Amino acid sequence: MEPHVDPMDERVLERNYDYAQKNVRLLSMWYDCDLKRMLELLAKHDIELSRNDRQQFGTCYQSIQRRLRL
């Protein structure tokens, strides 16, 4: 029996973001969730966005991080 892997675990999420070529849109499709939810998951674990994702989603990501820190 294979060990259970939690896809929401910080290390797994970060590795999957790498596998998705650091593309939030692609990762959200893999996780079958909307973009905002994926940004929330990444922000919750302080997973740094790629340059391209920062350009597209940086403002939303930073807003989510600020909200999570309150």
Side-chain angles (χ1 to χ4, degrees), residues 14 17-24 47-50 52-53:
E14 189 166 18
Y17 185 48
D18 284 339
Y19 290 158
Q21 300 176 349
K22 295 205 176 266
N23 183 315
V24 173
I47 297 173
E48 185 178 338
L49 296 180
S50 68
N52 287 338
D53 283 345

Side-chain angles (χ1 to χ4, degrees), residues 20-57:
Q21 300 176 349
K22 295 205 176 266
N23 183 315
V24 173
R25 288 184 193 281
L26 180 57
L27 189 62
S28 69
M29 286 189 291
W30 284 3
Y31 275 70
D32 194 26
C33 65
D34 65 27
L35 282 170
K36 185 171 182 182
R37 175 68 179 137
M38 185 51 56
L39 289 167
E40 288 172 349
L41 290 170
L42 294 171
K44 176 182 176 186
H45 296 295
D46 288 323
I47 297 173
E48 185 178 338
L49 296 180
S50 68
R51 193 179 107 211
N52 287 338
D53 283 345
R54 270 194 317 273
Q55 289 175 340
Q56 290 183 343
F57 310 111

Side-chain angles (χ1 to χ4, degrees), residues 36 40 60-70:
K36 185 171 182 182
E40 288 172 349
C60 181
Y61 178 83
Q62 290 171 349
S63 174
I64 293 167
Q65 279 189 317
R66 280 192 298 274
R67 188 184 72 220
L68 290 172
R69 289 183 183 133
L70 294 177

